Amino acid sequence: METSKLFLLSSSLLLLLLATRPCPSFSERCNPKDKKVLLQIKKALDNPYILASWNPNTDCCEWYCVECDLTTHRINSLTIFSGKLSGQIPDAVGDLPFLETLIFRKLSNLTGQIPPAIAKLKHLKMVRLSWTNLSGPVPAFFSELKNLTYLDLSFNNLSGPIPGSLSLLPNLGALHLDRNHLTGPIPDSFGKFAGSTPGLYLSHNQLSGKIPYSFRGFDPTVMDLSRNKLEGDLSIFFNAKKSTQVVDFSRNLFQFDLSRVEFPKSLTSLDLSHNKIAGSLPEMMTSLDLQFLNVSYNRLCGKIPVGGKLQSFDYDSYFHNRCLCGAPLQSCK
Ligand SMILES: *[C@@H]1O[C@H](CO)[C@@H](O)[C@H](O)[C@H]1NC(C)=O
Ligand SMILES: *[C@@H]1O[C@H](CO)[C@@H](O)[C@H](O)[C@H]1NC(C)=O
Ligand SMILES: *[C@@H]1O[C@H](CO)[C@@H](O)[C@H](O)[C@H]1NC(C)=O
Ligand SMILES: *[C@@H]1O[C@H](CO)[C@@H](O)[C@H](O)[C@H]1NC(C)=O
Ligand SMILES: *[C@@H]1O[C@H](CO)[C@@H](O)[C@H](O)[C@H]1NC(C)=O
């Protein structure tokens, strides 16, 4: 009897203690160091509404925009997407040492440079800082984050050259630097990445010079170099043994003879429009399983080869050339 009474007393005492105990609550999984850093980030961003759930009295593993690792309970993901938020990426982001995913996206008032503090985050796999107003250079420190599989810095105000050291990333699946104000050439080193060959997205910049000679051996599945100021001979990139599927080289200053180019058999989409490409369409194009083709606005001549997919495209895939003729354009004289 006595013992059960005692038990009752002690358990109600415990309950009382629990109820009046200030936070963090009994069930909190969140690591206190991570919580402290997240609250610093919130403060540095001037307490935006999108982070309203970041309440110090609750478990930070339950907060919006973050995720905790299931076993270590360390913050491994920070994703801030499309909210009303102004200011710069806080340096404190670099103090979440177990981050694997870092995303700031569609935040038009996010300005300033990409902070060097991000270089501390060695576990990062996915970085997306895109559709923001970040400016300054593409930092070379990304090349030290060896586990990166995806780097997207597109739709920003980044300027300056592309750091060649990014080719040292051994696990990169895709590199998006498109829609910035990047200048200078495509680095030579991009002809050979340390491990996997990433999809390369460099469109809508002000890149200039020739494509590097090392691109002879570069075999990405997808490459978009459109809307730059690239020039010279693109034919070195193409060869029948590659496995490239989608390429967009449109709106540049490429100048070469297309007549003897051998395209990869795997090619499904080819955009060469708005360049200074001369010669004729090679006969081998009839053996390609193309779903998209645009060679308009060049200096091509001669008869469009008959067969394959070539007559399945409309007039506007071929128009505005010097003297290209035959279906779907007007017949050759
Ligand atoms: C961006 O800042 C401007 C000026 O302070 C403000 O009017 C606008 O609402 C902000 N937009 C967003 C999406 O935060
Ligand atoms: C960058 O800011 C300008 C205004 O300063 C705005 O017009 C533009 O949409 C913003 N860019 C992005 C990608 O949000
Ligand atoms: C990188 O990834 C590998 C394989 O997933 C993992 O074993 C390693 O611990 C990771 N390194 C870092 C620094 O996260
Ligand atoms: C970003 O670039 C756009 C277009 O060039 C410009 O209108 C805008 O003011 C720039 N924003 C910042 C924050 O530099
Ligand atoms: C090809 O490019 C030209 C020039 O940009 C454009 O006018 C035309 O609509 C494009 N055709 C196709 C099929 O994309």
Side-chain angles (χ1 to χ4, degrees):
M1 245 348 197
E2 276 310 295
T3 45
S4 80
K5 243 187 197 162
L6 205 76
F7 174 76
L8 218 79
L9 188 72
S10 61
S11 53
S12 50
L13 238 163
L14 188 72
L15 269 174
L16 195 76
L17 261 171
L18 275 177
T20 54
R21 194 167 168 258
C23 51
S25 73
F26 181 73
S27 63
E28 176 149 63
R29 292 165 297 159
C30 173
N31 183 287
K33 287 186 199 141
D34 289 349
K35 187 178 209 170
K36 190 164 164 247
V37 171
L38 290 172
L39 291 170
Q40 283 168 1
I41 291 171
K42 182 179 178 181
K43 187 156 177 264
L45 292 171
D46 206 15
N47 301 314
Y49 180 70
I50 190 174
L51 304 181
S53 70
W54 293 18
N55 174 346
N57 298 338
T58 58
D59 181 354
C60 78
C61 290
E62 305 286 340
W63 293 355
Y64 290 165
C65 308
V66 291
E67 282 170 32
C68 281
D69 182 272
L70 287 176
T71 49
T72 65
H73 301 154
R74 299 302 301 254
I75 296 289
N76 63 10
S77 168
L78 172 62
T79 299
I80 300 184
F81 173 75
S82 193
K84 236 177 147 47
L85 179 150
S86 298
Q88 309 202 356
I89 298 178
D91 284 339
V93 165
D95 299 325
L96 294 169
F98 293 90
L99 268 195
E100 294 177 9
T101 300
L102 174 63
I103 300 175
F104 281 87
R105 194 163 146 77
K106 299 224 169 169
L107 303 162
S108 57
N109 285 350
L110 189 70
T111 55
Q113 303 204 358
I114 298 173
I118 291 176
K120 292 191 276 182
L121 302 173
K122 302 295 182 202
H123 294 288
L124 280 176
K125 290 180 181 159
M126 135 114 44
V127 173
R128 291 192 94 166
L129 310 173
S130 72
W131 291 89
T132 64
N133 257 315
L134 293 171
S135 55
V138 174
F141 68 68
F142 280 117
S143 65
E144 291 152 34
L145 306 178
K146 301 295 183 199
N147 273 12
L148 272 185
T149 57
Y150 190 90
L151 178 58
D152 178 4
L153 306 177
S154 64
F155 288 89
N156 280 303
N157 274 9
L158 301 175
S159 55
I162 299 174
S165 58
L166 292 180
S167 69
L168 299 172
L169 287 170
N171 298 305
L172 205 55
L175 177 61
H176 287 264
L177 302 177
D178 45 305
R179 306 254 182 182
N180 278 292
H181 307 295
L182 302 177
T183 51
I186 299 174
D188 268 339
S189 60
F190 275 28
K192 183 143 184 54
F193 274 75
S196 49
T197 303
L200 193 56
Y201 302 83
L202 305 178
S203 72
H204 291 82
N205 279 295
Q206 286 140 38
L207 300 173
S208 58
K210 297 181 174 178
I211 63 162
Y213 193 70
S214 59
F215 267 32
R216 269 184 111 80
F218 188 50
D219 192 11
T221 307
V222 184
M223 176 154 68
D224 185 355
L225 304 183
S226 64
R227 294 184 190 247
N228 278 291
K229 295 172 181 167
L230 297 164
E231 59 184 45
D233 188 357
L234 189 56
S235 69
I236 60 161
F237 170 73
F238 293 112
N239 95 46
K241 294 192 195 76
K242 289 195 178 184
S243 48
T244 301
Q245 292 170 14
V246 177
V247 284
D248 189 346
F249 296 117
S250 66
R251 293 183 190 258
N252 278 288
L253 306 165
F254 290 120
Q255 190 164 16
F256 60 99
D257 186 336
L258 196 65
S259 312
R260 265 172 297 278
V261 169
E262 288 219 46
F263 292 105
K265 290 278 189 288
S266 50
L267 207 58
T268 58
S269 177
L270 175 65
D271 197 337
L272 297 174
S273 64
H274 273 281
N275 279 288
K276 300 174 177 179
I277 303 169
S280 56
L281 294 180
E283 191 66 36
M284 75 81 61
M285 286 182 78
T286 59
S287 67
L288 299 175
D289 194 17
L290 289 172
Q291 281 146 39
F292 179 87
L293 176 70
N294 200 340
V295 296
S296 69
Y297 288 89
N298 276 295
R299 295 171 180 175
L300 296 166
C301 261
K303 188 170 162 36
I304 297 171
V306 178
K309 292 285 168 71
L310 294 187
Q311 276 66 41
S312 71
F313 301 107
D314 287 333
Y315 161 88
D316 69 354
S317 287
Y318 297 102
F319 71 157
H320 269 277
N321 272 289
R322 191 161 280 170
C323 46
L324 207 55
C325 61
L329 300 182
Q330 65 192 61
S331 53
C332 303
K333 298 217 168 73

